[in-house]
Amino acid sequence: GEGKEAVVSTQSTGAYAGARFAFALLQAMNGAKNVVECSYVESDVTDLQFFSTPLVLGANGVEQNLGLGTLIDFEQDALEKLKPELSGSIEKGIKFANQ
């Protein structure tokens, strides 16, 4: 049914993103320059503990977090509205990881 297809699609998207990041990281660790890939990492870009942003990858892993850039008012408002839900998801993830 439709629900199963959505789950498979979500899983495939997550797997693709993970593989893409892993390949980019391996390229950077093997000397490729200017490798930029988005990833969900612990950061101080927002007041949330974790956030997904573009990262410059290098021989030692993450070399620089490029942050969010300049957000227009619509984007800033949307981010503020999402923060409570994101914060709750982060808390759940941390609890799960610490089990």
Side-chain angles (χ1 to χ4, degrees):
E2 225 174 90
K4 184 176 181 182
E5 291 168 0
V7 169
V8 170
S9 177
T10 301
Q11 290 170 340
S12 298
T13 301
Y16 174 77
R20 179 180 164 135
F21 182 82
F23 288 130
L25 182 58
L26 289 171
Q27 287 178 326
M29 292 178 81
N30 283 318
K33 301 292 181 206
N34 301 315
V35 178
V36 177
E37 197 63 48
C38 289
S39 188
Y40 186 69
V41 295
E42 192 165 14
S43 75
D44 59 2
V45 168
T46 69
D47 54 344
L48 298 167
Q49 186 176 353
F50 294 87
F51 207 79
S52 183
T53 50
L55 307 169
V56 177
L57 305 174
N60 297 310
V62 176
E63 291 187 350
Q64 182 183 3
N65 187 329
L66 297 177
L68 290 174
T70 303
L71 301 179
I72 62 172
D73 289 344
F74 174 80
E75 294 167 323
Q76 187 63 47
D77 290 344
L79 175 60
E80 293 304 319
K81 288 176 184 171
L82 285 171
K83 281 184 179 181
E85 183 178 336
L86 292 172
S87 181
S89 294
I90 290 168
E91 274 186 44
K92 286 179 188 176
I94 290 170
K95 282 181 185 175
F96 179 79
N98 289 328
Q99 289 180 352

